[in-house]
Structures are given as structure tokens and as C-alpha cells.
Amino acid sequence: MYNKYKVLAFGLAITLASCQNNNKETKTTATAADSISTQAPKNLTYKVAGTLPHDTAAYTEGFELHDGKIYEGTGTYENSYVAVSDTSSGQLEKKFPLKDKSIYGEGISILGNQLFQLTYQNHIAYVYDLKDLTKPTGTFKWPQEGWGMTNDGKNLYVSVGSSIVYKLDPKSFAVVGQIQVTDNLGTVDQLNELEYVDGFLYINQWQTTKILKVDVSSGKVVGTIDCFGLLSNYAPDYTPKSEDSVLNGIAWDKTHQLLYVTGKNWPLIFKLKLD
């Protein structure tokens, strides 16, 4: 009996030592995994290089600079239109309302000599000749909601309010790729208005004061621009029209290396010089 218990005790000792070694290995593996985890996005700073007036009736959905003009697509069922304004003064030059009041306009993008326009829940995208925005030259079907849109000179990028940005062929509107946007905490959703700049997407995150800088090749959020305080500092007397009067509008001025930003029903457009 003594020998039996001696053997049993010896076996328990080996098992316990083995378990302790396994625990050490597990902790070492976890520590190694932690050391290679994704880093938090950098806080990107900026200076306000100037402002322009912005129509507070404009419920901004799409925003783009092209040939010295600001093109803006707006939403709501009663007031959806594409506007063209001067970049030096912000002065409105032309407005092209959607004639069908059952259509809710969303993001826009200019590629070549065409302007593309998403709609919110109508599952339609419009195509216009840039020289004549009075009526579309064609339409595409889009199965999801439409939120933001931009392009890289070849393909369109579309957001739908999720954590995924879809890459589309502008000739067929077919999906040719997608980008899953993540940061160090996981997937990042509520992606809205978009702007493509040199291999990165700048994205408004809906109902926040943040613009995310996303690496197109990896989908990683590498930087964050926080626009908190812009309105209170530069338009202290402005009263938001609703809880939806939030940041939503990004356009890139390549010539002057400035990021133009605005929001739904905001009184100003801000020119940001990134540090």
C-alpha cells in the first residue's frame, strides 16, 4: 500500500509540474501576443487656416472640391440637391434639386467628367454629366443603404453605415473589393462621408466629432482628427438645428494641401492644415 501511494504521489507531482510549465508557456504566449497587438491610432493635430460661409439649410451628405469649385450633395426628402459654390468665397453659384421628393440624396463623388450620387434607402445611384447636372444620364441599382462616396481616380468607394467600405467599378457599379475598417479595439462602424487622399481614406464617423484616417491597403485606422470645439470657437452664437447637426463633410484641396470640413446645417466650412 505504501508503494502504491508513493507511486501515486510521484505521478501527481509530475502532473502538477507539467501544469505549472503549461501555465508559464500560456502566459509567455499571451505576453508575446500583447506586444504585437495593433497600436492605437495617432491623434492628428491641425491648424485652422481659414473659414468659408456655409448654408445652414444644407443637410450635408457629400462634399468634394473640383476645378476650383465646391460640390455638395445634401439629404432629406424635401431638400435634396447638388450645389456648386466658389472655393474662394463660399458663394453659392448653382443648385440642382432632385425633382422626385421621394428620393433622399446622399454622398457624391466626381470621377472623370461624371458626378455620381448615392441615395439613402432608395437603392439607386445617379450618374450625371458634370457639364449638366439638371438631370441624370444614367442610374445604377445599389442593394444597401447609401451613405458616403469617394474615388481614387479609378474606382469608387462607398460606405453604408457599417464597418465596411465597398470598392466599386464606376462603369458597372459592381463590387470589386471591400475594406474592413478596424482599430486597436476591433471593428469601427458608423462610417459615413469619405475622402480619398494618397492611399488613405478620411472618414467621418457618424454622430462623433472624429475624422478617421484609414490605410486603404489594410483597413487600419492609423490616425484620428478630432474636430471638437470648432463650432464653439468660431461660431459661438450658432444654435444647432437638431441633434443631427453634426460633422459630416470632407474635401481635399490638393493644391494647398488643406482638408475642407463642414457639417450638416453648419454655418461654416473650415480649412484645416494638418501638422
Side-chain angles (χ1 to χ4, degrees):
M1 184 176 290
Y2 174 79
N3 289 337
K4 180 179 178 182
Y5 283 118
K6 186 176 182 180
V7 171
L8 180 60
F10 181 73
L12 288 171
I14 292 175
T15 302
L16 181 59
S18 176
C19 289
Q20 289 175 339
N21 286 338
N22 285 340
N23 286 339
K24 287 180 180 179
E25 289 174 2
T26 301
K27 289 179 181 177
T28 302
T29 303
T31 302
D34 290 343
S35 69
I36 60 172
S37 61
T38 304
Q39 293 182 345
K42 294 180 180 179
N43 293 320
L44 304 179
T45 58
Y46 58 85
K47 294 180 177 65
V48 177
T51 63
L52 293 171
H54 181 248
D55 183 3
T56 56
Y59 192 80
T60 309
E61 301 287 6
F63 204 57
E64 186 153 345
L65 297 182
H66 182 78
D67 285 348
K69 305 295 180 185
I70 301 170
Y71 288 78
E72 182 173 12
T74 70
T76 75
Y77 290 109
E78 298 298 322
N79 200 33
S80 289
Y81 58 83
V82 174
V84 183
S85 302
D86 180 66
T87 52
S88 60
S89 65
Q91 181 72 37
L92 176 67
E93 296 181 349
K94 297 176 183 178
K95 185 186 288 188
F96 303 92
L98 287 177
K99 297 178 175 60
D100 186 343
K101 298 302 180 183
S102 69
I103 301 294
Y104 190 119
E106 278 283 349
I108 63 170
S109 188
I110 296 170
L111 181 55
N113 61 353
Q114 294 179 309
L115 184 144
F116 295 81
Q117 181 184 31
L118 292 170
T119 59
Y120 177 36
Q121 293 178 325
N122 302 97
H123 304 297
I124 298 171
Y126 293 111
V127 186
Y128 300 84
D129 185 322
L130 198 56
K131 295 180 180 179
D132 182 7
L133 299 178
T134 58
K135 59 182 183 299
T137 58
T139 60
F140 289 112
K141 291 183 179 179
W142 179 243
Q144 303 190 61
E145 290 184 352
W147 285 44
M149 181 186 282
T150 189
N151 74 82
D152 61 6
K154 180 181 178 182
N155 294 110
L156 298 168
Y157 294 82
V158 169
S159 66
V160 298
S162 69
S163 62
I164 295 175
V165 176
Y166 294 91
K167 188 176 181 179
L168 308 184
D169 180 341
K171 294 182 179 179
S172 64
F173 228 64
V175 176
V176 296
Q178 62 184 49
I179 301 167
Q180 175 75 70
V181 177
T182 61
D183 62 12
N184 58 307
L185 301 177
T187 57
V188 181
D189 61 6
Q190 297 291 87
L191 304 179
N192 202 358
E193 223 274 300
L194 312 171
E195 182 74 355
Y196 180 93
V197 183
D198 299 331
F200 295 93
L201 288 173
Y202 288 82
I203 307 177
N204 278 139
Q205 189 175 22
W206 171 235
Q207 288 287 4
T208 77
T209 60
K210 294 179 180 178
I211 296 174
L212 311 176
K213 182 180 180 180
V214 177
D215 187 330
V216 171
S217 62
S218 67
K220 300 294 185 184
V221 180
V222 298
T224 302
I225 302 167
D226 197 339
C227 295
F228 179 80
L230 280 180
L231 281 181
S232 59
N233 287 332
Y234 287 84
D237 298 328
Y238 169 71
T239 301
K241 289 194 172 186
S242 74
E243 62 181 11
D244 289 343
S245 298
V246 295
L247 181 76
N248 198 58
I250 315 169
W252 178 242
D253 180 349
K254 184 176 181 179
T255 302
H256 301 98
Q257 298 287 291
L258 295 172
L259 204 63
Y260 282 49
V261 302
T262 190
K264 299 175 185 293
N265 308 123
W266 281 21
L268 293 172
I269 297 168
F270 296 89
K271 301 178 184 180
L272 306 184
K273 182 69 174 178
L274 303 182
D275 293 333

